[in-house]
Amino acid sequence: MSNNVIIREIQNELVERKELPNFGAGDTIIVSYKIKEGNKERTQLFQGVVIQRRGEGSTETFTVRKMSGNVGVERIFPVSSPFLESIQIVKKGAVRRARIFYFRERTGKSARIKEKRSFAK
């Protein structure tokens, strides 16, 4: 076995995997994560559009972008972070790419993402 395979096996054993909903680029989600301020701990919500998911296993991350006033704010969340409490999917977006970096330049009506149709009856 190569060194990369051995390292990956050890990482998968040590890092606990959380059960996350199935989401991808274009989906609008609410991420709740813990923040430590001094000796206090609180939960903060971050709602935005998923721009990308990258990596695999314990090193997987996803980037969420939201507009705060007229300023775009992006945050990268590691999937295996102990501070990540939960993820809620608000709506599924219909996009053709796995990484929608073009979304950063969009404003106004062109910054909308169509909602994916569900055929479940």
Side-chain angles (χ1 to χ4, degrees):
M1 270 197 264
S2 68
N3 289 340
N4 291 339
V5 175
I6 295 170
I7 292 172
R8 195 174 303 134
E9 290 293 325
I10 294 171
Q11 282 179 342
N12 289 339
E13 290 175 14
L14 295 176
V15 177
E16 62 182 55
R17 291 286 290 164
K18 294 182 180 167
E19 288 298 319
L20 298 177
N22 190 13
F23 65 93
D27 296 348
T28 303
I29 62 173
I30 299 174
V31 181
S32 60
Y33 59 97
K34 290 182 240 173
I35 294 180
K36 288 184 179 175
E37 294 174 337
N39 57 356
K40 291 182 182 178
E41 198 173 271
R42 66 183 179 90
T43 302
Q44 189 172 32
L45 302 177
F46 192 92
Q47 179 174 348
V49 177
V50 178
I51 289 186
Q52 71 171 341
R53 279 184 82 157
R54 72 183 307 174
E56 60 183 25
S58 62
T59 61
E60 185 178 359
T61 61
F62 60 96
T63 305
V64 181
R65 178 179 176 86
K66 75 172 184 176
M67 293 301 290
S68 180
N70 287 336
V71 179
V73 178
E74 288 184 13
R75 178 135 190 200
I76 300 170
F77 295 98
V79 170
S80 59
S81 171
F83 298 109
L84 194 65
E85 280 188 350
S86 68
I87 297 174
Q88 294 176 310
I89 299 176
V90 177
K91 66 180 181 180
K92 290 284 222 178
V95 294
R96 295 182 179 185
R97 298 184 184 191
R99 297 183 176 167
I100 53 173
F101 296 132
Y102 64 86
F103 192 64
R104 292 173 176 157
E105 283 81 41
R106 302 283 175 103
T107 57
K109 279 191 172 182
S110 66
R112 289 185 297 185
I113 295 177
K114 290 181 184 173
E115 195 162 353
K116 194 179 282 187
R117 285 191 180 152
S118 63
F119 295 104
K121 291 184 179 179

